[in-house]
């Protein structure tokens, strides 16, 4: 058999591959549901970071908007959940869409400078946003608790009745909530990057002048994608608030948290669906297993070593390197358009869809 094997999208082999991936994900979720409470809590934390890094991947990976301040979106989503639960009496799970919406709007506003600046200059804007966030939390201490932090009462974290879980099974409920949010995030990201918007995102990332000359509205792509990126990370922040129950802006949502998300994205792999999962596993489990080395400094050293190895050996990240390895054996490509047999009265007619106008044209 000649390698690599070519698999076209929409064919039976392609559907079999998708079914195998989905089945593997379902089995992994079922396996995690049977873990001990502490280990299951670590898996839940890992899924929260995977959602946050997936949000960062939309802006930094797919569009090329470098951001080191996504910790502010994570914190904004967390405090949105805390405020709605403590002061408004919302059920915790219902605050996730609200956190997404608040951070979506904030992302649209923060992404406006991306219309004029890019690269390190944009990174400086997001840096300022991350540094200012703890100060904003302290300023509105009536809502956020300020420097004292915010505590969400345990009874307010009770799973909803329709879930079938009791207060004592809160860990199980939160685990499955994390599974659902992560699965939806990966699915939406996959569909987005495979759509015409995904082509527009890639064009803007590679060459803005060429993208603009092709009819792509660069302002719309940059602003919307940065907003979506912030919204996804805000949803992760809502999960983080439900998971922790106690929120401290100076402890959990500092600039270092934003850098941690960026490191996870680089290690896992930009512009990949599974890169955020690999990156989240690194940022959660490496510190956990190396916390006893060098009085806690071992994890930082190991992070640096892994980051250097990834940069030199796998510039596209671990997921990108694994993808290149898989492509030596199996290559998935778009299905070729089928052409109707030649007609006696005219030329052959293609069954492919007619070509449409420019993507996101103003």
């Amino acid at each position: 058999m000649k390698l690599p094997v070519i698999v076209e999208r929409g064919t039976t082999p392609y559907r079999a591959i998708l079914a195998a991936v989905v089945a593997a994900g379902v089995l992994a979720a079922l396996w995690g549901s049977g873990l001990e409470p502490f280990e299951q809590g670590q898996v839940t934390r890992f899924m929260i970071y995977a959602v946050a890094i997936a949000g960062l991947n939309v802006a930094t990976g797919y569009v090329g908007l470098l951001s080191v301040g996504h910790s502010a979106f994570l914190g904004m989503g967390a405090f949105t959940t805390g405020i709605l639960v403590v002061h408004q009496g919302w059920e915790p799970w219902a605050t996730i869409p609200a956190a997404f919406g608040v951070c979506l709007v904030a992302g649209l506003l923060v992404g406006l400078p991306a219309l004029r600046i890019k690269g390190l200059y944009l990174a400086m804007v997001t840096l300022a946003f991350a540094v200012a966030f703890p100060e904003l939390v302290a300023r509105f201490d009536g809502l956020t608790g300020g420097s004292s932090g915010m505590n969400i009462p345990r009874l307010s974290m009770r799973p909803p009745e329709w879930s079938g879980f009791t207060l004592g099974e809160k860990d199980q409920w939160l685990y499955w909530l994390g599974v659902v949010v992560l699965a939806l995030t990966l699915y939406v990201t996959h569909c987005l990057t495979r759509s015409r918007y995904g082509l527009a995102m890639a064009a803007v990332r590679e060459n803005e002048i060429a993208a603009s000359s092709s009819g792509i509205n660069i302002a719309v792509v940059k602003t919307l994608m940065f907003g979506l990126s912030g919204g996804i990370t805000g949803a992760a922040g809502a999960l983080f608030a439900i998971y922790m129950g106690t929120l401290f802006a100076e402890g959990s949502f500092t600039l270092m948290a934003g850098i941690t998300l960026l490191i996870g994205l680089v290690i896992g792999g930009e512009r990949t669906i599974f890169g955020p999962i690999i990156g989240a596993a690194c940022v959660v489990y490496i510190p956990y297993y190396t916390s006893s080395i060098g009085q806690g400094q071992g994890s930082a050293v190991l992070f640096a070593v892994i980051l250097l190895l990834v940069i030199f050996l796998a510039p596209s990240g671990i997921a990108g390197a694994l993808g290149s390895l898989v492509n030596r054996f199996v290559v998935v490509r778009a299905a070729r358009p089928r052409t109707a047999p030649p007609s006696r009265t005219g030329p052959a007619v293609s069954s492919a869809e007619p070509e449409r106008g420019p993507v996101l044209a103003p």
Side-chain angles (χ1 to χ4, degrees):
M1 181 175 60
K2 184 179 179 180
L3 296 177
V5 177
I6 306 298
V7 177
E8 294 185 350
R9 293 191 180 94
T11 60
T12 300
Y14 178 73
R15 295 190 183 97
I17 293 175
L18 287 182
V21 172
V22 172
V26 171
L27 291 176
L30 293 175
W31 169 80
S33 66
L35 294 175
E36 296 296 326
F38 177 78
E39 295 176 344
Q40 189 177 78
Q42 289 293 94
V43 175
T44 302
R45 186 164 174 261
F46 145 75
M47 290 189 292
I48 293 171
Y49 272 93
V51 174
I53 295 174
L56 177 61
N57 193 26
V58 171
T60 300
Y62 289 107
V63 188
L65 303 175
L66 180 59
S67 172
V68 294
H70 262 56
S71 58
F73 293 119
L74 188 70
M76 189 174 295
F79 276 98
T80 298
T81 290
I83 291 170
L84 291 177
V85 171
V86 174
H87 297 287
Q88 301 297 325
W90 285 38
E91 291 193 8
W93 68 271
T95 66
I96 297 178
F100 174 87
V102 168
C103 294
L104 173 66
V105 174
L108 293 175
L109 296 177
V110 176
L112 289 178
L115 305 181
R116 297 280 184 180
I117 59 178
K118 58 182 179 179
L120 293 177
Y121 299 100
L122 178 62
M124 294 298 291
V125 173
T126 61
L127 173 68
F129 180 51
V131 172
F133 178 74
E135 299 299 327
L136 291 175
V137 171
R139 174 67 178 80
F140 297 97
D141 56 344
L143 288 175
T144 63
S147 58
S148 300
M150 172 180 284
N151 292 316
I152 303 176
R154 186 170 182 270
L155 291 178
S156 300
M157 310 295 282
R158 182 189 302 274
E161 295 183 1
W162 54 262
S163 68
F165 292 101
T166 64
L167 182 60
E169 298 173 318
K170 176 205 162 191
D171 294 337
Q172 278 279 343
W173 157 246
L174 182 55
Y175 169 82
W176 284 110
L177 187 62
V179 169
V180 171
V181 174
L182 177 59
L184 285 176
T185 300
L186 296 180
Y187 177 74
V188 169
T189 304
H190 172 77
C191 293
L192 177 66
T193 55
R194 296 292 182 185
S195 68
R196 297 173 66 85
Y197 289 93
L199 295 177
M201 292 159 62
V204 171
R205 181 185 69 248
E206 297 298 332
N207 193 316
E208 291 187 12
I209 297 177
S212 179
S213 63
S214 300
I216 296 175
N217 192 325
I218 297 178
V220 171
V221 172
K222 282 187 172 183
T223 307
L224 285 183
M225 292 306 108
F226 204 94
L228 178 62
S229 174
I232 294 174
T233 304
L239 286 175
F240 184 85
I242 303 172
Y243 172 75
M244 294 295 295
T246 303
L247 303 176
F248 290 98
E250 293 289 349
S252 302
F253 312 115
T254 60
L255 176 61
M256 184 55 64
I259 295 175
T260 299
L261 296 179
L262 189 60
I263 290 175
L265 178 61
V266 173
I267 292 176
E270 299 177 288
R271 299 188 296 278
T272 60
I273 298 298
F274 296 106
I277 295 178
I278 297 174
C282 291
V283 301
V284 169
Y285 287 104
I286 289 178
Y288 171 68
Y289 286 111
T290 59
S291 59
S292 60
I293 301 176
Q295 297 181 349
Q297 299 299 320
S299 60
V301 175
L302 195 53
F303 259 132
V305 172
I306 292 177
L307 186 60
L308 289 174
L309 288 176
V310 169
I311 291 174
F312 283 105
L313 301 179
S316 57
I318 297 176
L322 293 176
S324 299
L325 180 62
V326 171
N327 285 340
R328 295 183 180 181
F329 303 94
V330 179
V331 174
V332 178
R333 70 182 184 188
R336 295 178 179 178
R338 293 173 296 176
T339 303
S343 172
R344 294 181 180 179
T345 59
V349 178
S350 173
S351 62
E353 293 184 0
E355 185 178 354
R356 299 178 181 178
V359 180
L360 297 180

